[in-house]
Amino acid sequence: MSSHVVAVLVLVTVAGSDGILNLLNLPILNPLLDLLLPLQLSSNDPEIFMSTPEIIERWGYPVQTVQTNTTDGYILTMHRIPYGKAFVFFQHGLLCSSSDWIINLPNQSAGFMFADAGFDVWLGNMRGNTYSKAHTTLNTSSHQFWEFTWDDMMRHDLDAMIDKVLAMTGQSALYYVGHSQGTLTMFTKLSIDQLFAKKIKKFFALAPVVKLKNIKGLLRAVGDINPLLSLYYNNFGQDEFLPSSAFLDLAAQYGCGLETNLNPICKLVMFSIGGPDTRQFNSSRVPVIISQTPAGTSSTNFIHLGQMVTSGKHEGYNWGSDAKNIQHYNSTLIPIYNISTVNVPTYLFTGDKDWLANPTDVQYIRSNLSSEIVILDQRLLGYNHYDFTWGLKAADDIYKPIIKIIYD
């Protein structure tokens, strides 16, 4: 998830929220304020508060910024490292952005490693995040702008971005690497759109998510989200979920901003979201990660995920009225998706310590995909949800094998 999520949960925790304290199964945390308050963000890393293109340029790579419009008017921004002749598209997870793929050092970051291996690298940004917060007729102050979930990203954003890449490069198909929500949108899209499926040569699913019934940790609370959202809405607004702001930046800096050693409170809450500490986190990069994440999404998107936790189903969002459901789905009934119809060669990379792409929920993916299209099922030991993009072992365990698979 993100350091700002951690910051908000830290604030809720120290404020004495019974629900959060029960989830943490911890004694009252007020004494830990002595650890929290003296800590300041301290780093001379020039990448702090740089944009994705600026970070790419800083390491000597060429970069392009490319925009595309969705059929429902959102203006999406992609970042490209035009470094080769094989074409790969990377899609971030919930509350993240294109920066996820270039956030570590060049020999540890997927974007740079694929560029060095001769790929033309495209980094997507879904609607509502830092880089895709624009619309042809709406502005971000309108409620309408934020009325979307991952289902809309699946139906509109993937088409807009992939089609733009193919049009600009003259290709008919490309390789796709997704993390977390970036796999949820792709699995769903491939299950309902066989014409789109022809545009994906191979699908590499990192920390794959389809169902959320068995998630663990703090975000299990999303299943009982109303009290938490009420607290959040009262303090942070109802449209954008975890927007960047001076207040949240300050909270994140105090909660997570040590250059060389992860703050105990930040560590406590962070690893209660994505899974236990697997000793892969590059704590020296924490200030850079904080400057990029969270990148924002809609509150409705988060509520949709909460709905899926409660129902245990891979389903569309219930917009709360027949009229709105008809507007989105041409039906009063919300769609229930079936991934057994996916027919693109798929490569699964899963973690045994991942609390969001929980191994029990991942088993549903294995059981419902045809064995003929699951080419690789790589079960990684000692991986939590963050390790697929931020972990230090990902270069050797994930990125290099994918590069080899494509070239072989």
Side-chain angles (χ1 to χ4, degrees), residues 165-187:
V165 173
L166 298 180
M168 287 186 61
T169 59
Q171 302 296 303
S172 60
L174 49 70
Y175 300 99
Y176 180 96
V177 182
H179 175 241
S180 188
Q181 181 185 264
T183 70
L184 173 60
T185 51
M186 181 54 74
F187 274 123

Side-chain angles (χ1 to χ4, degrees), residues 11 54 60 124 142 190 194 200 264 310 377 398:
L11 293 175
E54 289 169 337
S142 71
L190 294 176
Q194 297 307 311
I200 308 300
T310 301
D377 183 2
I398 302 172

Side-chain angles (χ1 to χ4, degrees), residues 2 17 25 96 131 136 140 147 198 208 238 249 342 356 359 408:
S2 74
S17 167
N25 194 27
C96 294
Y131 300 106
T136 54
T140 56
E147 288 186 345
K198 295 178 181 179
Q238 299 182 22
D249 284 342
V342 173
L356 297 184
D408 286 349

Side-chain angles (χ1 to χ4, degrees), residues 167-305:
M168 287 186 61
T169 59
Q171 302 296 303
S172 60
L174 49 70
Y175 300 99
Y176 180 96
V177 182
H179 175 241
S180 188
Q181 181 185 264
T183 70
L184 173 60
T185 51
M186 181 54 74
F187 274 123
T188 312
K189 184 70 169 176
L190 294 176
S191 75
I192 66 170
D193 191 340
Q194 297 307 311
L195 289 177
F196 177 85
K198 295 178 181 179
K199 302 171 185 177
I200 308 300
K201 292 181 179 180
K202 298 180 189 294
F203 172 24
F204 299 93
L206 316 186
V209 173
V210 166
K211 287 190 174 183
L212 298 172
K213 183 177 181 179
N214 296 288
I215 67 170
K216 296 180 179 180
L218 279 179
L219 289 186
R220 181 71 216 178
V222 176
D224 303 310
I225 203 167
N226 287 338
L228 185 59
L229 277 185
S230 295
L231 177 64
Y232 179 83
Y233 284 171
N234 290 337
N235 292 279
F236 297 96
Q238 299 182 22
D239 291 330
E240 184 175 11
F241 190 85
L242 289 179
S244 297
S245 69
F247 175 76
L248 287 174
D249 284 342
L250 180 63
Q253 289 173 15
Y254 275 98
C256 301
L258 279 179
E259 179 180 8
T260 58
N261 187 26
L262 203 57
N263 180 329
I265 293 181
C266 175
K267 185 174 181 179
L268 173 72
V269 182
M270 177 174 286
F271 294 116
S272 292
I273 296 174
D277 185 0
T278 55
R279 307 296 180 185
Q280 286 204 57
F281 199 78
N282 187 350
S283 57
S284 68
R285 301 296 290 175
V286 169
V288 181
I289 293 170
I290 290 172
S291 72
Q292 295 288 334
T293 312
T297 189
S298 70
S299 295
T300 310
N301 190 32
F302 220 77
I303 297 170
H304 187 180
L305 298 173

Side-chain angles (χ1 to χ4, degrees), residues 20-40:
I20 296 297
L21 288 173
N22 289 336
L23 282 166
L24 286 171
N25 194 27
L26 296 169
I28 298 298
L29 295 179
N30 284 339
L32 292 181
L33 283 173
D34 289 339
L35 294 173
L36 174 66
L37 294 178
L39 301 176
Q40 298 284 349

Side-chain angles (χ1 to χ4, degrees), residues 45-156:
D45 195 318
E47 293 178 35
I48 290 180
F49 307 120
M50 281 186 179
S51 65
T52 295
E54 289 169 337
I55 293 174
I56 293 171
E57 287 181 328
R58 187 212 170 202
W59 292 106
Y61 293 81
V63 63
Q64 293 178 6
T65 296
V66 178
Q67 289 190 324
T68 186
N69 290 10
T70 67
T71 54
D72 57 347
Y74 287 85
I75 302 171
L76 311 179
T77 297
M78 297 177 287
H79 299 125
R80 179 188 188 187
I81 308 176
Y83 222 59
K85 296 188 181 297
F87 299 87
V88 61
F89 187 93
F90 290 89
Q91 188 54 57
H92 61 77
L94 178 67
L95 288 171
C96 294
S97 73
S98 55
S99 68
D100 267 18
W101 307 106
I102 49 88
I103 205 72
N104 275 330
L105 300 178
N107 65 339
Q108 301 164 341
S109 299
F112 295 131
M113 290 180 63
F114 276 73
D116 288 338
F119 285 86
D120 191 321
V121 176
W122 291 78
L123 311 175
N125 286 291
M126 291 294 195
R127 64 181 63 193
N129 85 355
T130 302
Y131 300 106
S132 293
K133 203 178 291 186
H135 194 278
T136 54
T137 61
L138 304 173
N139 60 57
T140 56
S141 63
S142 71
H143 294 304
Q144 252 186 302
F145 180 93
W146 298 104
E147 288 186 345
F148 63 80
T149 81
W150 64 261
D151 198 278
D152 300 287
M153 301 174 197
M154 176 273 294
R155 293 176 185 274
H156 302 288

Side-chain angles (χ1 to χ4, degrees), residues 310-374:
T310 301
S311 72
K313 297 178 181 178
H314 178 200
E315 62 186 6
Y317 179 59
N318 187 347
W319 288 92
S321 72
D322 288 349
K324 281 196 171 184
N325 284 341
I326 290 172
Q327 177 186 343
H328 285 268
Y329 309 123
N330 293 319
S331 171
T332 59
L333 301 177
I334 63 173
I336 305 297
Y337 298 112
N338 177 12
I339 62 170
S340 67
T341 58
V342 173
N343 62 4
V344 170
T346 301
Y347 300 73
L348 303 175
F349 292 82
T350 64
D352 64 327
K353 306 298 184 184
D354 191 335
W355 286 358
L356 297 184
N358 181 275
T360 302
D361 292 327
V362 170
Q363 187 57 44
Y364 169 83
I365 300 175
R366 294 190 183 98
S367 300
N368 284 271
L369 291 177
S370 166
S371 59
E372 295 180 358
I373 66 110
V374 179

